[in-house]
Amino acid sequence: MEEVIDHYNNNNITRPRPNPRLQYDFDFRKVGSSAWRYINSSNELSAFERQIDAVIDNGGECRIVNAATGKVVQQNHEKLI
């Protein structure tokens, strides 16, 4: 099982989540790190564009995960769905 940590309170995040309030979760990590850090959620993929740019510009990697299924739907700027 992969490690996902809430960036703000360091709690572990478990996916898939039953009945999530919002559809997509945004995670990031430093290249080479094994742990993903959850930042926030949205119902729109486009809501994460500035965050994606900021993570990549700072040498990190990011992904957007469907909270209900745990499936990665976008890695950096590449949509996987």
Side-chain angles (χ1 to χ4, degrees):
M1 177 179 250
E2 71 180 359
E3 184 178 17
V4 181
I5 301 167
D6 187 301
H7 184 66
Y8 299 105
N9 62 23
N10 289 320
N11 290 335
N12 290 325
I13 302 290
T14 302
R15 291 188 190 113
R17 292 191 327 224
N19 305 312
R21 189 173 60 87
L22 298 170
Q23 185 174 3
Y24 301 110
D25 291 345
F26 183 86
D27 298 339
F28 81 98
R29 68 181 176 187
K30 292 181 181 179
V31 173
S33 174
S34 62
W36 287 97
R37 300 189 72 81
Y38 162 81
I39 292 288
N40 61 346
S41 301
S42 177
N43 283 325
E44 302 295 328
L45 292 175
S46 61
F48 301 117
E49 286 302 315
R50 285 194 281 188
Q51 288 174 230
I52 293 168
D53 291 340
V55 168
I56 293 170
D57 289 348
N58 286 288
E61 58 185 337
C62 56
R63 67 183 185 178
I64 299 170
V65 180
N66 182 307
T69 67
K71 181 178 178 181
V72 176
V73 297
Q74 185 170 332
Q75 182 85 29
N76 295 331
H77 283 293
E78 181 182 348
K79 291 187 175 140
L80 305 175
I81 56 172

